Amino acid sequence: MKLLFKTILIALFACFISTSHALKPVSINGIAPFAKGKEIRFYYYDDLLSKTKILISSTKINDTGFFSVKIPALETRELIININTTEGSFFIEPEKTYQLTLFTKEQLFNSLNATLLGNSINIRIKQSDSNELNWKINYFNQYYNYFLYKHAPAIIYLVDQSIYDSLMNIIIDKFPISDNPNDFYSVYVKFRLAEIDRIYYKKSYDKLYSKYLDSKYIYYHNPAYMDFLTAFFNNFLYSGTKYITKQILYQNINDLNNYFRLLDELGKEPMLVNEVIREIVLIQNLKSLFSYHEEFNLVNILSLLKKAGENTKFPEHKKMAENSIKQLMLLQKGTTAPDFTLKTIHNETIKLSDFKGKYIYLHFFTTDCQECIREMLIIKKLHETYSQKVVFISVLLDFETTRLYHFVNSHPEFKWKFAHFDNDFSFIDNYRVYALPLAIIFDKKGNILSYPAPDTEKMTSYFFSLFDPINQKQ
């Protein structure tokens, strides 16, 4: 009985300790005067190799432009803020409170391709001083960019070592850093400066590796570190080394499809002795090798990435492998398409799954995309010919939903289905709708048949080939 009582006390004490040490979420309050009534979304990068974003939280900006949100944070992370298709980011530290004011170029804010046009959300942190992380990083970045602008020619064309050292000492003296591996700012500055060294010592791989990467520390969530690591090992396997030849890659990828043997072979390269870095490099480079479809078995590459995710000891590597597979397979022919929910002018909901058993031609447009609207003249003829076999849907991507009603009523000659994306921005991301014109064709099972679809001028011959009885028998 005493033993049971003691066990209960220990368990309660452990529970109290873990609860008392739980980190409070980051508190963010802010104003975005340009986005009253809009949804604001907050993302982390799930991993900085694939740069897959994961939604952490979302809320609505009220009629005065105010928003408030709580964000879980166990360590310093880059937080991405997204409104419509415009985004910006800043770094958050655990348990801190941030007061933000957001700005943007309002003339571009309502554009579908706002980011491609160079628009972003600028973030001002109230009461930020020279000790605040974002202030320090922004100040460093401004000087760093100025330094590169002024001295890049000398660095690229390999000035004498003494001159290079003198140039680097200018910026190193201005931004002293500590050797503390837990100091996010110091790691950030160190690896941004490492990028300059990588330019100057571009053929001295051993020197760069020993100076920056021969360490037990892997800074998975520090963008400067991960940018340097991935740039350093970019195309590393395909380029080949003394220890990693094309023959080794062909044998272990195409012939054997053996993950563990391939990993062991890479371990013979001195810069890949560290098993943590070796796995990251393998995942990164398998993803790159996927583009060499004439040389490598793509099914085997996907299989090796899957095995990497299943067998790794490191949770971050599992994310890298799984996200890489998702990116490589997204919208590929024969893959299952992400389901979607669209709204018609009658506020009815339509889904991809509603049309199984028929081909689907999904066409995207905005009211200011004249080429998209001109395409509809060809779609009209396609619809008249193939409406019994193909469901035609044109999706309006204007952020103002009422524009769909006005457009449909202004064009009674267009008889197929029209819908609005209902301001579901995950739909835009899932289907990579970042530039128009664009259309996608789905097969009868709801799988991707063609992304992007051929130009509308070629669709008549495409459908003729698709529905030709001889081809169907084949």
Side-chain angles (χ1 to χ4, degrees):
M1 187 70 180
K2 287 183 179 180
L3 180 61
L4 176 62
F5 181 71
K6 184 176 180 181
T7 303
I8 293 173
L9 281 178
I10 292 172
L12 288 172
F13 180 74
C15 182
F16 170 77
I17 291 296
S18 62
T19 304
S20 63
H21 283 79
L23 294 175
K24 295 184 296 184
V26 171
S27 179
I28 298 176
N29 302 305
I31 56 171
F34 59 90
K36 296 173 183 177
K38 299 282 188 180
E39 181 187 48
I40 181 169
R41 300 174 300 282
F42 300 86
Y43 298 85
Y44 282 147
Y45 287 117
D46 198 27
D47 73 89
L48 283 173
L49 183 66
S50 72
K51 294 199 172 176
T52 297
K53 294 187 298 186
I54 52 170
L55 182 66
I56 302 300
S57 185
S58 64
T59 190
K60 188 174 182 180
I61 301 169
N62 71 16
D63 293 339
T64 67
F66 176 80
F67 64 90
S68 181
V69 70
K70 303 286 187 183
I71 302 292
L74 300 178
E75 59 183 304
T76 300
R77 296 287 295 270
E78 183 177 7
L79 184 70
I80 301 111
I81 296 178
N82 189 291
I83 311 173
N84 285 357
T85 55
T86 301
E87 67 180 33
S89 69
F90 74 113
F91 297 102
I92 60 172
E93 298 178 86
E95 300 192 304
K96 290 205 170 183
T97 297
Y98 295 91
Q99 302 285 338
L100 309 180
T101 301
L102 308 184
F103 305 89
T104 194
K105 296 176 182 176
E106 295 189 39
Q107 66 272 26
L108 297 177
F109 177 63
N110 286 314
S111 300
L112 174 66
N113 57 345
T115 300
L116 293 177
L117 293 173
N119 199 30
S120 63
I121 294 174
N122 298 313
I123 303 167
R124 179 184 298 167
I125 303 174
K126 294 183 181 178
Q127 299 175 335
S128 176
D129 59 28
S130 59
N131 293 314
E132 198 273 325
L133 176 63
N134 289 279
W135 190 98
K136 293 195 294 183
I137 287 178
N138 289 337
Y139 179 62
F140 167 78
N141 284 340
Q142 288 174 10
Y143 188 87
Y144 179 85
N145 292 334
Y146 165 76
F147 180 87
L148 286 180
Y149 170 78
K150 188 174 181 180
H151 301 296
I155 295 169
I156 292 171
Y157 295 110
L158 305 178
V159 295
D160 290 341
Q161 182 73 53
S162 60
I163 298 175
Y164 177 74
D165 291 341
S166 297
L167 290 175
M168 289 301 292
N169 284 334
I170 295 172
I171 194 168
I172 291 170
D173 291 343
K174 190 172 181 65
F175 296 97
I177 57 176
S178 74
D179 293 325
N180 180 1
N182 296 315
D183 182 349
F184 188 93
Y185 168 76
S186 289
V187 172
Y188 183 93
V189 171
K190 176 181 178 179
F191 283 95
R192 283 288 180 252
L193 296 180
E195 284 290 346
I196 302 178
D197 267 358
R198 190 175 66 85
I199 296 170
Y200 186 76
Y201 299 110
K202 52 192 169 190
K203 294 184 179 179
S204 303
Y205 286 105
D206 292 343
K207 181 174 184 175
L208 289 167
Y209 176 82
S210 62
K211 183 176 181 180
Y212 293 109
L213 297 175
D214 190 11
S215 166
K216 64 180 180 180
Y217 297 106
I218 307 294
Y219 307 99
Y220 291 108
H221 298 302
N222 193 304
Y225 172 85
M226 287 301 296
D227 286 349
F228 178 81
L229 177 69
T230 54
F232 183 86
F233 286 110
N234 181 46
N235 227 23
F236 188 76
L237 301 188
Y238 188 78
S239 298
T241 71
K242 176 183 176 181
Y243 303 92
I244 304 171
T245 64
K246 287 279 183 67
Q247 190 58 40
I248 288 174
L249 295 182
Y250 295 150
Q251 182 180 30
N252 286 278
I253 295 175
N254 295 342
D255 301 334
L256 301 176
N257 189 22
N258 189 319
Y259 172 73
F260 296 105
R261 175 168 170 164
L262 178 57
L263 203 59
D264 288 342
E265 288 286 355
L266 300 190
K268 297 174 183 178
E269 161 61 50
M271 287 188 286
L272 296 179
V273 171
N274 182 322
E275 65 170 333
V276 186
I277 287 183
R278 192 192 323 160
E279 270 197 358
I280 296 174
V281 172
L282 178 55
I283 294 168
Q284 175 193 0
N285 281 261
L286 282 173
K287 185 180 178 183
S288 300
L289 293 176
F290 196 80
S291 61
Y292 297 97
H293 60 274
E294 294 181 353
E295 292 187 63
F296 295 98
N297 185 313
L298 303 190
V299 174
N300 286 0
I301 288 178
L302 292 172
S303 172
L304 290 167
L305 282 170
K306 184 179 179 182
K307 289 173 185 173
E310 291 172 344
N311 293 285
T312 182
K313 298 181 292 186
F314 311 106
E316 293 297 328
H317 298 185
K318 181 178 177 65
K319 294 178 186 177
M320 292 175 183
E322 291 177 349
N323 287 331
S324 294
I325 292 172
K326 289 176 184 177
Q327 287 182 346
L328 291 173
M329 294 306 294
L330 182 63
L331 304 178
Q332 292 292 315
K333 183 177 181 179
T335 59
T336 302
D339 204 357
F340 55 70
T341 300
L342 306 171
K343 286 291 182 71
T344 70
I345 60 172
H346 304 296
N347 206 35
E348 296 171 346
T349 298
I350 59 175
K351 298 180 179 179
L352 174 64
S353 52
D354 293 339
F355 305 107
K356 282 193 176 179
K358 280 198 171 185
Y359 292 93
I360 301 170
Y361 181 84
L362 193 68
H363 169 252
F364 302 96
F365 76 106
T366 59
T367 53
D368 62 356
C369 176
Q370 295 304 311
E371 189 174 350
C372 301
I373 296 171
R374 281 194 295 270
E375 285 183 328
M376 293 182 186
L377 298 175
I378 301 175
I379 296 173
K380 179 176 181 292
K381 295 178 181 178
L382 294 171
H383 178 258
E384 291 168 353
T385 306
Y386 296 105
S387 61
Q388 296 301 310
K389 297 180 178 180
V390 181
V391 176
F392 291 83
I393 307 173
S394 285
V395 183
L396 179 64
L397 300 176
D398 286 5
F399 303 150
E400 193 63 51
T401 57
T402 56
R403 292 186 180 180
L404 178 64
Y405 177 84
H406 296 301
F407 182 85
V408 171
N409 281 285
S410 299
H411 295 278
E413 70 275 21
F414 299 151
K415 304 294 186 182
W416 61 92
K417 295 181 184 295
F418 280 79
H420 190 271
F421 81 111
D422 202 27
N423 287 344
D424 178 5
F425 292 94
S426 64
F427 171 74
I428 289 176
D429 289 335
N430 287 341
Y431 284 97
R432 295 178 176 172
V433 190
Y434 302 126
L436 298 176
L438 176 69
I440 306 172
I441 302 173
F442 304 84
D443 67 18
K444 292 180 178 182
K445 296 179 181 179
N447 298 326
I448 298 294
L449 186 59
S450 180
Y451 172 91
D455 294 340
T456 48
E457 291 85 356
K458 300 176 182 177
M459 282 307 304
T460 299
S461 59
Y462 180 90
F463 279 144
F464 179 81
S465 175
L466 182 65
F467 299 123
D468 178 53
I470 296 176
N471 289 335
Q472 287 186 321
K473 287 179 182 179
Q474 293 175 344

Short mmCIF file of all heavy atoms in Angstrom, two decimals, residues 69-91:
data_model
loop_
_atom_site.label_atom_id
_atom_site.label_comp_id
_atom_site.label_asym_id
_atom_site.label_seq_id
_atom_site.Cartn_x
_atom_site.Cartn_y
_atom_site.Cartn_z
N VAL A 69 -4.02 36.32 -32.22
CA VAL A 69 -3.87 34.88 -32.39
C VAL A 69 -2.81 34.36 -31.41
O VAL A 69 -1.92 35.10 -30.98
CB VAL A 69 -3.46 34.55 -33.85
CG1 VAL A 69 -2.04 35.01 -34.15
CG2 VAL A 69 -3.64 33.07 -34.17
N LYS A 70 -2.92 33.10 -31.04
CA LYS A 70 -1.92 32.41 -30.22
C LYS A 70 -1.23 31.36 -31.09
O LYS A 70 -1.89 30.57 -31.78
CB LYS A 70 -2.59 31.72 -29.03
CG LYS A 70 -3.40 32.63 -28.13
CD LYS A 70 -2.52 33.51 -27.27
CE LYS A 70 -3.38 34.29 -26.26
NZ LYS A 70 -2.55 35.21 -25.45
N ILE A 71 0.09 31.31 -31.03
CA ILE A 71 0.88 30.39 -31.86
C ILE A 71 1.76 29.52 -30.96
O ILE A 71 2.57 30.05 -30.19
CB ILE A 71 1.77 31.16 -32.86
CG1 ILE A 71 0.94 32.06 -33.75
CG2 ILE A 71 2.63 30.19 -33.68
CD1 ILE A 71 0.04 31.35 -34.73
N PRO A 72 1.64 28.20 -31.03
CA PRO A 72 2.55 27.34 -30.25
C PRO A 72 3.97 27.42 -30.80
O PRO A 72 4.18 27.41 -32.01
CB PRO A 72 1.96 25.94 -30.46
CG PRO A 72 1.21 26.02 -31.75
CD PRO A 72 0.69 27.42 -31.85
N ALA A 73 4.94 27.54 -29.89
CA ALA A 73 6.34 27.64 -30.33
C ALA A 73 7.24 27.05 -29.25
O ALA A 73 7.30 27.57 -28.13
CB ALA A 73 6.72 29.10 -30.59
N LEU A 74 7.93 25.98 -29.59
CA LEU A 74 8.85 25.34 -28.65
C LEU A 74 10.28 25.85 -28.83
O LEU A 74 11.14 25.61 -27.98
CB LEU A 74 8.83 23.82 -28.85
CG LEU A 74 7.48 23.13 -28.63
CD1 LEU A 74 7.58 21.63 -28.90
CD2 LEU A 74 6.98 23.38 -27.21
N GLU A 75 10.53 26.51 -29.95
CA GLU A 75 11.84 27.07 -30.24
C GLU A 75 11.66 28.23 -31.20
O GLU A 75 10.56 28.48 -31.69
CB GLU A 75 12.76 26.01 -30.85
CG GLU A 75 12.20 25.42 -32.15
CD GLU A 75 13.08 24.31 -32.70
OE1 GLU A 75 14.28 24.57 -32.92
OE2 GLU A 75 12.56 23.20 -32.91
N THR A 76 12.73 28.95 -31.48
CA THR A 76 12.66 30.06 -32.42
C THR A 76 12.34 29.52 -33.81
O THR A 76 13.00 28.60 -34.30
CB THR A 76 13.99 30.84 -32.45
OG1 THR A 76 14.25 31.34 -31.14
CG2 THR A 76 13.91 32.00 -33.42
N ARG A 77 11.32 30.09 -34.44
CA ARG A 77 10.88 29.64 -35.76
C ARG A 77 10.53 30.84 -36.63
O ARG A 77 10.15 31.90 -36.14
CB ARG A 77 9.63 28.74 -35.65
CG ARG A 77 9.83 27.44 -34.91
CD ARG A 77 10.63 26.43 -35.70
NE ARG A 77 9.94 25.99 -36.90
CZ ARG A 77 9.13 24.95 -36.96
NH1 ARG A 77 8.88 24.22 -35.87
NH2 ARG A 77 8.57 24.58 -38.12
N GLU A 78 10.65 30.61 -37.94
CA GLU A 78 10.15 31.60 -38.89
C GLU A 78 8.65 31.38 -39.06
O GLU A 78 8.22 30.27 -39.37
CB GLU A 78 10.86 31.48 -40.23
CG GLU A 78 10.43 32.54 -41.25
CD GLU A 78 11.19 32.45 -42.55
OE1 GLU A 78 11.97 31.49 -42.73
OE2 GLU A 78 11.00 33.35 -43.40
N LEU A 79 7.87 32.44 -38.86
CA LEU A 79 6.42 32.36 -38.99
C LEU A 79 6.00 33.11 -40.25
O LEU A 79 6.34 34.28 -40.43
CB LEU A 79 5.74 32.96 -37.77
CG LEU A 79 4.21 32.86 -37.73
CD1 LEU A 79 3.77 31.41 -37.52
CD2 LEU A 79 3.62 33.74 -36.63
N ILE A 80 5.26 32.41 -41.12
CA ILE A 80 4.81 33.04 -42.36
C ILE A 80 3.39 33.54 -42.17
O ILE A 80 2.52 32.81 -41.66
CB ILE A 80 4.86 32.04 -43.54
CG1 ILE A 80 6.28 31.52 -43.75
CG2 ILE A 80 4.35 32.67 -44.83
CD1 ILE A 80 6.48 30.09 -43.41
N ILE A 81 3.15 34.78 -42.55
CA ILE A 81 1.82 35.38 -42.48
C ILE A 81 1.30 35.52 -43.91
O ILE A 81 1.99 36.04 -44.79
CB ILE A 81 1.87 36.76 -41.81
CG1 ILE A 81 2.32 36.63 -40.35
CG2 ILE A 81 0.51 37.45 -41.87
CD1 ILE A 81 2.45 37.96 -39.62
N ASN A 82 0.07 35.06 -44.12
CA ASN A 82 -0.50 35.06 -45.47
C ASN A 82 -1.91 35.64 -45.45
O ASN A 82 -2.75 35.23 -44.64
CB ASN A 82 -0.52 33.63 -46.02
CG ASN A 82 -0.89 33.56 -47.48
OD1 ASN A 82 -2.01 33.83 -47.85
ND2 ASN A 82 0.07 33.17 -48.30
N ILE A 83 -2.15 36.62 -46.31
CA ILE A 83 -3.49 37.17 -46.53
C ILE A 83 -3.71 37.19 -48.04
O ILE A 83 -2.87 37.71 -48.78
CB ILE A 83 -3.65 38.59 -45.96
CG1 ILE A 83 -3.14 38.67 -44.52
CG2 ILE A 83 -5.11 39.04 -46.02
CD1 ILE A 83 -3.10 40.10 -43.96
N ASN A 84 -4.86 36.66 -48.49
CA ASN A 84 -5.06 36.45 -49.92
C ASN A 84 -3.89 35.63 -50.46
O ASN A 84 -3.57 34.58 -49.93
CB ASN A 84 -5.23 37.77 -50.66
CG ASN A 84 -6.60 38.40 -50.43
OD1 ASN A 84 -7.46 37.82 -49.76
ND2 ASN A 84 -6.82 39.57 -50.98
N THR A 85 -3.21 36.11 -51.48
CA THR A 85 -2.03 35.38 -51.99
C THR A 85 -0.73 36.14 -51.70
O THR A 85 0.30 35.86 -52.31
CB THR A 85 -2.16 35.17 -53.51
OG1 THR A 85 -2.36 36.44 -54.15
CG2 THR A 85 -3.32 34.25 -53.84
N THR A 86 -0.79 37.08 -50.77
CA THR A 86 0.39 37.86 -50.40
C THR A 86 0.89 37.39 -49.04
O THR A 86 0.09 37.12 -48.14
CB THR A 86 0.04 39.36 -50.34
OG1 THR A 86 -0.44 39.78 -51.62
CG2 THR A 86 1.26 40.19 -49.99
N GLU A 87 2.21 37.29 -48.90
CA GLU A 87 2.73 36.81 -47.62
C GLU A 87 4.00 37.54 -47.21
O GLU A 87 4.66 38.21 -48.00
CB GLU A 87 3.00 35.30 -47.68
CG GLU A 87 4.13 34.87 -48.59
CD GLU A 87 4.32 33.36 -48.58
OE1 GLU A 87 3.32 32.62 -48.42
OE2 GLU A 87 5.48 32.92 -48.72
N GLY A 88 4.31 37.40 -45.94
CA GLY A 88 5.54 37.92 -45.36
C GLY A 88 5.90 37.04 -44.18
O GLY A 88 5.14 36.12 -43.82
N SER A 89 7.05 37.26 -43.57
CA SER A 89 7.44 36.40 -42.46
C SER A 89 8.30 37.17 -41.47
O SER A 89 8.91 38.19 -41.79
CB SER A 89 8.20 35.17 -42.96
OG SER A 89 9.47 35.53 -43.47
N PHE A 90 8.34 36.65 -40.24
CA PHE A 90 9.25 37.14 -39.22
C PHE A 90 9.54 36.00 -38.26
O PHE A 90 8.92 34.93 -38.34
CB PHE A 90 8.68 38.38 -38.51
CG PHE A 90 7.56 38.09 -37.54
CD1 PHE A 90 7.72 38.29 -36.18
CD2 PHE A 90 6.31 37.65 -37.99
CE1 PHE A 90 6.69 38.04 -35.29
CE2 PHE A 90 5.27 37.40 -37.11
CZ PHE A 90 5.46 37.60 -35.74
N PHE A 91 10.49 36.20 -37.37
CA PHE A 91 10.88 35.15 -36.44
C PHE A 91 10.20 35.36 -35.09
O PHE A 91 10.14 36.48 -34.58
CB PHE A 91 12.40 35.14 -36.25
CG PHE A 91 13.14 34.81 -37.52
CD1 PHE A 91 13.75 35.80 -38.27
CD2 PHE A 91 13.23 33.50 -37.97
CE1 PHE A 91 14.43 35.50 -39.44
CE2 PHE A 91 13.89 33.18 -39.14
CZ PHE A 91 14.50 34.18 -39.88
#
